[in-house]
């Protein structure tokens, strides 16, 4: 888009978008309006690496759980900002919303500060027996739909993820992964692509990323200072407050 400065972790440029809704009966005054901030960027994978706006990037960050000894999961904005302050102070440039979509305000802060976000749905650690629950498919589809449609305009979100450490080591379980990824691809026309990742003891995981997959999936380094490339989904010690 001519004249637009791209959003990036180093320069998180945002633009204010104002929308007004008019009725056919009264076109003179709006019946509703919305002011939203948006950013413009591209995400690609080439030669086994991730690029934002054509530049290679290594994601270094934390699994963040909304869990606090005083406020529980009801985080006020200052605590959200404090979490990002702590992560930035340790050299992080990304955060994983393990394991649920996060508060809109937290995503706004990530947009402002240039943090890359890996956002995922609620379902996690489910056995095949639990995935056979008659409500499982419907509830996951609803969560995925809400996540993508509500948060899809945040430039900080570069990865959609699903079903953390569920029964992906079974044929029946992989059917669920495929179904949900196809749903996300239909919702996010960025377009989304399938990512196949490994998780210890869990077999092959299918994830969805908000860009077209043109090369094998790059390994993402999450542990600061480590020389070892860690696959997303792998458990790390001390990888974020409240992680278990």
């Amino acid at each position: 888009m001519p004249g637009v400065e791209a959003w990036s972790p180093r320069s998180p440029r945002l633009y204010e978008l104002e929308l007004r809704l008019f009725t056919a009966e009264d076109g003179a005054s709006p019946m509703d309006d919305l002011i939203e901030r948006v950013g413009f960027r591209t995400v690609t994978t080439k030669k086994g690496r991730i690029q934002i706006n054509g530049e290679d990037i290594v994601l270094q960050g934390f699994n963040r759980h909304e869990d606090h000894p005083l406020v529980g999961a009801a985080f006020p904005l200052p605590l959200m900002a404090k979490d990002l302050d702590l992560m930035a102070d340790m050299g992080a440039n990304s955060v994983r919303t393990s394991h649920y979509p996060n508060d809109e305000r937290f995503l706004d802060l990530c947009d402002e500060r240039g943090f890359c976000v890996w956002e995922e749905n609620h379902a996690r650690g489910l056995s095949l027996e639990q995935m056979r629950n008659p409500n499982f498919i419907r509830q996951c589809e609803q969560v995925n739909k809400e996540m993508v449609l509500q948060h899809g305009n945040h430039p900080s979100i570069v990865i959609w993820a699903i079903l953390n450490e569920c029964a992906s080591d079974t044929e029946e379980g992989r059917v669920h992964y495929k179904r949900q990824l196809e749903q996300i691809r239909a919702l996010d026309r960025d377009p989304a692509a399938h990512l196949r990742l490994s998780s210890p003891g869990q077999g092959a995981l299918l994830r969805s990323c908000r860009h077209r997959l043109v090369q094998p999936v790059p390994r993402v380094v999450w542990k600061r200072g480590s020389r070892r490339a860690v696959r997303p989904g792998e458990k790390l010690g001390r990888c974020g407050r409240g992680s278990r």
Side-chain angles (χ1 to χ4, degrees), residues 4 20 24 31 77 82 97 109 122 131 136 140 145-146 175 188 204 215-216 239 244:
V4 170
R20 296 181 180 181
M31 62 173 294
L77 187 62
K82 182 63 175 179
T97 68
L109 290 173
H122 295 76
M131 294 171 75
F136 174 76
C140 283
K145 181 178 180 180
E146 292 175 355
V175 171
D188 187 347
Q215 292 290 338
C239 58
R244 321 213 205 314

Side-chain angles (χ1 to χ4, degrees), residues 93-114:
N93 65 0
S94 60
V95 58
R96 178 187 179 200
T97 68
S98 49
H99 302 285
Y100 30 78
N102 269 204
D103 192 304
E104 192 86 30
R105 297 171 300 166
F106 181 74
L107 299 175
D108 285 340
L109 290 173
C110 291
D111 291 342
E112 291 177 7
R113 299 183 181 211

Side-chain angles (χ1 to χ4, degrees), residues 52 107 143 165 180 208-209 238-239:
I52 293 182
L107 299 175
V143 167
E165 295 183 358
Q180 292 191 35
S208 182
C209 186
R238 296 185 179 181
C239 58

Side-chain angles (χ1 to χ4, degrees), residues 114-180:
F115 265 79
C116 296
V117 177
W118 165 318
E119 186 164 63
E120 57 191 60
N121 67 5
H122 295 76
R124 62 192 185 275
L126 300 179
S127 66
L128 189 57
E129 181 179 359
Q130 291 171 315
M131 294 171 75
R132 288 171 177 165
N133 185 292
N135 295 318
F136 174 76
I137 294 176
R138 175 182 57 80
Q139 290 176 343
C140 283
E141 288 179 347
Q142 183 62 31
V143 167
N144 292 339
K145 181 178 180 180
E146 292 175 355
M147 177 177 69
V148 175
L149 295 185
Q150 291 178 11
H151 297 166
N153 286 330
H154 287 278
S156 58
I157 298 178
V158 297
I159 294 176
W160 298 121
I162 61 170
L163 301 176
N164 175 70
E165 295 183 358
C166 293
S168 59
D169 56 338
T170 67
E171 190 64 34
E172 184 177 343
R174 285 191 286 271
V175 171
H176 289 289
Y177 281 80
K178 184 175 185 294
R179 179 189 300 111
Q180 292 191 35

